[in-house]
Amino acid sequence: MDFEYTQEEQAFRQEVRDFLDKNLPPWEQRGPGFMAEWLKKVRGKCWVGFSWPKEVGGGGGNIMEQVILKEEMARRRAPALGTCFMGLAWVGPGIIKYGTEEQKQRFIPEILDSKYQWCTGYSEPNVGSDLASLQCKAVRDGDSYVINGTKIWTSLAPFADWISMLVRTDNSSESKHEGITSLLVKLDSPGIDIQPIENMAGASIFAQIFFDNVRVPVENRLGEEGKGWEVTISSLANERSSIGEVTAMYEKLENLKELIKKARKNGKPARKDVGVRRRIAEFESRIEAMRLNGLRYLTKQIKGEPLSSETSVNKLHRALLEIDMTDFAVDILGQAGLQLSGQEEAVDHGRWATAALSWPDVVIGGGTPNIQKNIVAERILGLPKD
Amino acid sequence: MNFGFTQEQDLLRDQVRRFLDDNCAMPEVRKIMKQPSGVSADLWQQMADLGLLGLIIPAEFGGVGLFWEDLIVVLEETGRSLFPSPFISTTLAASTLVELGNAAQKKKWLPEIASGNTIAACAILDEHDCPQLDNITLAISSERTLTGDKSFVPDAGIADLFLVAFRDGDELALALIARDEPGVDTSTTATMDESKRTGTLKLDNVSIDASNLLQCDGKAMTRLLDKGSVAVTAEMIGAAETVLEMTTQYAKDRIQFGHPIGKYQGVKHRLAEIYLDIESFKSLLYYAAWTIDQSPDELSRSASIAKAYASDAFVAIGIEGVQLHGAIGFTAEYDVQLFLKRSKWARPMFGDSDYHYERIAALGGL
Ligand SMILES: Cc1cc2nc3c(=O)[nH]c(=O)nc-3n(C[C@H](O)[C@H](O)[C@H](O)COP(=O)(O)OP(=O)(O)OC[C@H]3O[C@@H](n4cnc5c(N)ncnc54)[C@H](O)[C@@H]3O)c2cc1C
């Protein structure tokens, strides 16, 4: 075992830190032009699409460098490296892996420049965890596909310009994984109707999208017709050892501790309460377990062994921690914890109250805990499928 | 950055596993644990011959000169097969001697331990089993003698040498006391886990002088206790993994309602949760073991996190292992119950989860 960083890695960490010291002013000092400036600068550093090959305009960062960049960014609570969140997270990697030369030249620079907002259309009203049973239909007609059907829970759809979506082009196959095709669709195409849906935290970030005879040129197909499942699985697998998230969780824990130091429980300082102390220590231990699990997975990656289902372990930890920590914060604050941003007694601008209503993003969004447990039980332990 | 085991460490694991599989499979474990001594002298000698008893003892004193990150590989395996032996006690004592002993003490005892001639045990705590320093109350008299009982001393009944903690005025101290010195007596106590022995060390006017005092202070004592947590947690991992393996296999084989029970989520999700917990306390343990030799300042926190997490998780795993087997898991003949008992044994050793979580909170600034 060896937890040292090489000289090059240390130098890179220092480079990131220096950059952040110079270019990331404290929250209060950020003016209206800050975000645009920031995006231009990180783009200049080639940190946007940092893991992508240099040939397509990415940063060509190796695994350790990616981890270091993520860690340092999270530690300083830096804003994202681009506003094209899904484009950078998996649409881009999908295009790099499966796209034609034209598609790469057309889409990748725009994604790197966050020119457009992308969203992801997988789920449908009757299709959630069992994604491969999707039904939204596309029929080939000359040089176009014609889409009819609906997508739902599409995050960012109300603000998006493009959608990367899965459609069914063939219903005849025995296997539901066959006959799925991946399409890149412009959201201002005629026949598209986007209806935002308000979530329990009061935000309307996801939407239902209706497709009524929407024509999409064939050149916007990603990968082969009928092979969209493969494209999807491999771009989702792009998520890695979760080290960056761990740093953010530690930040959250520190915030929670600060809260505890000010709060009272049973009429006494909360920091002296045995139950409170134990809960906080449990959170810390679970986050530390995530960190160290992540380092073991990272070691595998460095050795060139692919990561597979074991990453479900940290996804489960993260999901449960997200629920438990935000709920604990609201609980400890009592009545004041129920006040949202703008309400009179709101603590920390209602941040905790909002967080306690926002966990589904992490918990349900990327595959529910039950599904993660199925993955572990079936693929790692070899138990029969249900 | 490399958070994994080396090829040599993998080989060591294979070697120990083969040794235990060949020589101490479950029927043999059951035989040994029914004997009054609770240990097989023959297997203990073979452990010595394989170099395992001197694993972390420097070569100049007859050992192999490896580190705790190697030792935990062995401990995971002894835990996996519930190997009944005073291995934790002896190794913990040896590790402490290496760090705190003077040249003469090391020369006298370490080769004896490495060769299997001397079994050693640690008698640290007094009033209860909470590993706090103020729980060391035995005090030395003005005549420089120790009189009193140390209860719940692991492997007291078969140890030839004891590390005994006591108070010298305001200071903490640690003495080496041989079993055959005048005034030393021991008794063995059984526990529900018959593969582990505990006992009482009785001291009656045992004289202490410079020759048997170790260089110990509060910090060194804390380090000893933290290493104990690490050692016990390593055995917990191996044992918990056996429960998971046994129960997963049973879930594949046992048919009810026309299907293997492992098809039902009430069963498979529990097994997935067990996997998650074992993966996690494994990572925590490996890191804690690494800190012992490479980053001592982090040891207390990392050992506490590992032991706290493992204590709760392993007890739940022991219970679940029995429960998911149905009635057969409740039988004396079926092995899974032995692991449940081990989980109860391991929980309070060197501090339960309440103790360690409280310590983590304090170390974390609360
Ligand atoms: C905040 C948020 C953002 C999202 N963003 C997007 C997006 O951008 N694009 C997109 O396509 N989708 C998005 N989704 C949808 C998300 O992918 C689905 O919600 C998720 O896959 C679960 O599907 P479902 O909601 O239909 O629940 P269902 O699959 O119907 O599940 C309902 C419950 O049943 C359980 N369950 C289902 N199957 C099993 C099983 N086999 N065994 C045990 N339990 C089972 C689940 O765990 C869950 O508790 C988003 C969801 C949320 C909450």
Side-chain angles (χ1 to χ4, degrees):
Chain A
M1 289 173 205
D2 159 23
F3 295 89
E4 299 293 316
Y5 294 91
T6 64
Q7 277 192 345
E8 292 80 42
E9 287 160 2
Q10 288 175 27
F12 180 68
R13 191 183 291 281
Q14 197 54 49
E15 180 189 336
V16 178
R17 286 189 179 168
D18 291 345
F19 176 89
L20 293 176
D21 285 345
K22 195 155 150 245
N23 296 298
L24 191 64
W27 198 252
E28 320 78 64
Q29 291 169 28
R30 292 180 199 167
F34 165 76
M35 201 54 200
E37 260 309 283
W38 164 261
L39 291 176
K40 216 169 89 194
K41 282 185 186 150
V42 290
R43 181 86 176 89
K45 294 290 280 180
C46 283
W47 287 348
V48 188
F50 187 54
S51 63
W52 303 358
K54 288 203 164 122
E55 302 85 80
V56 301
N62 66 32
I63 291 177
M64 276 315 292
E65 289 169 341
Q66 292 170 39
V67 166
I68 289 167
L69 180 62
K70 269 198 197 173
E71 269 182 342
E72 292 303 320
M73 299 266 301
R75 185 163 293 141
R76 294 288 302 274
R77 279 176 243 184
L81 291 166
T83 50
C84 182
F85 308 105
M86 295 190 186
L88 290 166
W90 52 76
V91 180
I95 293 173
I96 291 169
K97 186 150 181 209
Y98 290 95
T100 61
E101 218 27 65
E102 291 76 48
Q103 285 173 336
K104 283 184 210 169
Q105 279 173 20
R106 173 169 179 200
F107 293 113
I108 295 299
E110 290 173 356
I111 290 176
L112 288 170
D113 289 332
S114 289
K115 186 160 172 198
Y116 298 118
Q117 190 67 261
W118 280 81
C119 62
T120 318
Y122 297 158
S123 309
E124 298 172 13
N126 293 322
V127 178
S129 302
D130 183 14
L131 177 57
S133 67
L134 62 94
Q135 288 306 327
C136 182
K137 205 165 98 179
V139 178
R140 179 77 181 257
D141 178 28
D143 286 342
S144 304
Y145 287 100
V146 180
I147 308 176
N148 278 291
T150 178
K151 292 286 170 184
I152 196 167
W153 320 126
T154 321
S155 295
L156 301 179
F159 329 101
D161 309 287
W162 283 88
I163 182 168
S164 164
M165 66 187 292
L166 291 177
V167 291
R168 186 157 296 281
T169 42
D170 182 5
N171 240 332
S172 65
S173 173
E174 281 278 297
S175 158
K176 60 187 179 181
H177 299 97
E178 295 289 321
I180 293 172
T181 299
S182 171
L183 295 178
L184 309 173
V185 181
K186 208 153 188 293
L187 279 172
D188 60 5
S189 311
I192 290 183
D193 178 24
I194 303 173
Q195 295 292 337
I197 302 168
E198 184 179 346
N199 69 24
M200 73 172 166
S204 300
I205 299 170
F206 53 26
Q208 181 163 11
I209 311 182
F210 299 91
F211 297 83
D212 179 15
N213 283 314
V214 175
R215 296 191 82 85
V216 183
V218 171
E219 69 245 30
N220 284 13
R221 186 186 69 216
L222 187 59
E224 286 173 49
E225 182 172 304
K227 299 288 176 211
W229 185 252
E230 204 184 305
V231 175
T232 309
I233 292 301
S234 97
S235 22
L236 288 180
N238 202 48
E239 297 185 275
R240 300 261 170 99
S241 55
S242 66
I243 310 252
E245 282 99 19
V246 170
T247 312
M249 308 285 290
Y250 263 118
E251 289 293 328
K252 247 184 222 176
L253 182 73
E254 283 310 309
N255 291 340
L256 199 50
K257 282 185 187 172
E258 290 309 310
L259 196 70
I260 299 300
K261 287 177 187 167
K262 287 178 276 177
R264 296 178 77 76
K265 176 100 186 164
N266 296 330
K268 301 196 193 84
R271 66 182 297 177
K272 299 209 166 133
D273 184 88
V274 177
V276 168
R277 296 170 70 82
R278 185 176 157 120
R279 285 299 296 281
I280 293 286
E282 281 176 1
F283 294 149
E284 179 168 339
S285 303
R286 285 154 68 187
I287 299 172
E288 180 71 356
M290 264 184 87
R291 178 178 83 88
L292 295 170
N293 287 338
L295 288 180
R296 282 208 289 142
Y297 301 152
L298 179 65
T299 299
K300 275 186 84 175
Q301 282 189 301
I302 293 170
K303 288 182 179 164
E305 300 167 33
L307 287 188
S308 58
S309 316
E310 62 265 48
T311 53
S312 288
V313 167
N314 270 358
K315 283 191 186 150
L316 273 165
H317 267 308
R318 170 127 191 261
L320 301 179
L321 274 165
E322 197 74 34
I323 296 174
D324 290 351
M325 284 171 73
T326 54
D327 177 62
F328 178 73
V330 169
D331 183 27
I332 206 85
L333 290 169
Q335 304 274 351
L338 307 181
Q339 304 235 318
L340 291 160
S341 170
Q343 294 169 341
E344 212 157 282
E345 306 278 339
V347 179
D348 293 344
H349 307 288
R351 180 150 56 100
W352 300 103
T354 303
L357 297 176
S358 303
W359 53 263
D361 202 5
V362 171
V363 177
I364 303 173
T368 67
N370 276 355
I371 298 302
Q372 304 295 346
K373 286 179 199 171
N374 276 359
I375 290 173
V376 169
E378 291 166 13
R379 297 193 205 153
I380 298 178
L381 301 178
L383 290 164
K385 276 180 161 307
D386 53 32
Chain B
M1 171 66 59
N2 180 0
F3 191 16
F5 289 105
T6 61
Q7 233 173 3
E8 289 76 24
Q9 287 163 336
D10 288 341
L11 285 173
L12 175 65
R13 183 187 300 282
D14 286 349
Q15 184 194 30
V16 178
R17 186 173 297 187
R18 219 168 330 112
F19 166 67
L20 291 172
D21 284 352
D22 292 350
N23 299 289
C24 201
M26 258 329 157
E28 189 63 25
V29 168
R30 285 175 180 265
K31 224 158 74 194
I32 297 171
M33 74 188 199
K34 291 291 180 198
Q35 289 166 9
S37 71
V39 53
S40 151
D42 182 34
L43 290 177
W44 187 249
Q45 191 53 52
Q46 290 188 48
M47 295 267 290
D49 297 344
L50 287 171
L52 301 176
L53 301 186
L55 201 75
I56 53 162
I57 293 176
E60 56 174 315
F61 300 114
V64 188
L66 292 179
F67 299 95
W68 273 77
E69 79 179 71
D70 307 290
L71 177 65
I72 54 163
V73 169
V74 180
L75 287 165
E76 277 184 83
E77 295 306 315
T78 56
R80 161 184 290 273
S81 46
L82 296 188
F83 178 56
S85 84
F87 185 56
I88 291 184
S89 302
T90 301
T91 305
L92 190 55
S95 174
T96 307
L97 248 168
V98 169
E99 289 178 10
L100 309 180
N102 62 32
Q105 291 163 337
K106 290 199 238 188
K107 209 167 145 220
K108 178 169 180 198
W109 292 111
L110 290 176
E112 289 293 299
I113 291 176
S115 67
N117 290 338
T118 295
I119 291 173
C122 303
I124 309 297
L125 306 172
D126 284 292
E127 305 294 311
H128 43 80
D129 52 17
C130 192
Q132 285 161 319
L133 296 187
D134 60 9
N135 188 22
I136 297 170
T137 51
L138 177 69
I140 194 162
S141 70
S142 49
E143 291 81 39
R144 307 299 290 167
T145 62
L146 289 174
T147 298
D149 286 359
K150 287 269 182 188
S151 38
F152 300 115
V153 176
D155 305 307
I158 44 166
D160 308 296
L161 176 68
F162 292 91
L163 267 60
V164 180
F166 63 93
R167 280 191 182 272
D168 188 352
D170 290 338
E171 306 289 320
L172 284 170
L174 195 58
L176 284 168
I177 300 180
R179 170 80 179 76
D180 53 14
E181 276 173 43
V184 178
D185 195 9
T186 60
S187 68
T188 296
T189 321
T191 75
M192 71 158 73
D193 178 1
E194 290 175 286
S195 64
K196 291 284 185 189
R197 289 288 192 280
T198 187
T200 304
L201 170 66
K202 299 173 183 178
L203 303 172
D204 182 14
N205 257 317
V206 177
S207 26
I208 302 296
D209 60 36
S211 72
N212 52 6
L213 269 182
L214 296 174
Q215 274 301 327
C216 190
D217 56 12
K219 205 172 153 197
M221 197 76 79
T222 300
R223 182 168 160 83
L224 186 166
L225 293 164
D226 285 337
K227 287 198 241 177
S229 289
V230 169
V232 170
T233 308
E235 278 208 336
M236 290 159 94
I237 287 180
E241 276 195 308
T242 306
V243 176
L244 178 60
E245 269 166 33
M246 285 172 78
T247 314
T248 302
Q249 192 57 50
Y250 191 75
K252 290 176 186 172
D253 296 341
R254 173 74 176 167
I255 311 280
Q256 283 297 288
F257 300 98
H259 297 287
I261 55 171
K263 188 176 161 64
Y264 306 118
Q265 292 187 347
V267 174
K268 71 166 24 158
H269 282 188
R270 273 309 291 134
L271 291 169
E273 286 157 17
I274 290 173
Y275 176 84
L276 172 137
D277 278 339
I278 295 177
E279 272 290 283
S280 302
F281 73 80
K282 230 184 211 178
S283 298
L284 294 170
L285 182 269
Y286 294 168
Y287 189 73
W290 177 84
T291 66
I292 290 179
D293 294 305
Q294 310 296 340
S295 185
D297 289 347
E298 286 183 273
L299 172 59
S300 286
R301 174 176 181 264
S302 63
S304 272
I305 292 181
K307 181 65 172 52
Y309 194 121
S311 293
D312 286 351
F314 184 31
V315 165
I317 291 168
I319 291 169
E320 207 70 75
V322 168
Q323 197 259 118
L324 290 175
H325 274 84
I328 192 136
F330 184 46
T331 61
E333 191 188 346
Y334 204 86
D335 291 331
V336 75
Q337 53 101 1
L338 298 176
F339 290 83
L340 174 142
K341 290 172 180 166
R342 175 59 70 86
S343 75
K344 307 279 194 214
W345 174 86
R347 176 164 52 187
M349 288 304 289
F350 298 99
D352 63 8
S353 64
D354 278 332
Y355 168 75
H356 285 290
Y357 279 128
E358 171 52 37
R359 192 174 183 223
I360 295 160
L363 289 170
L366 274 193

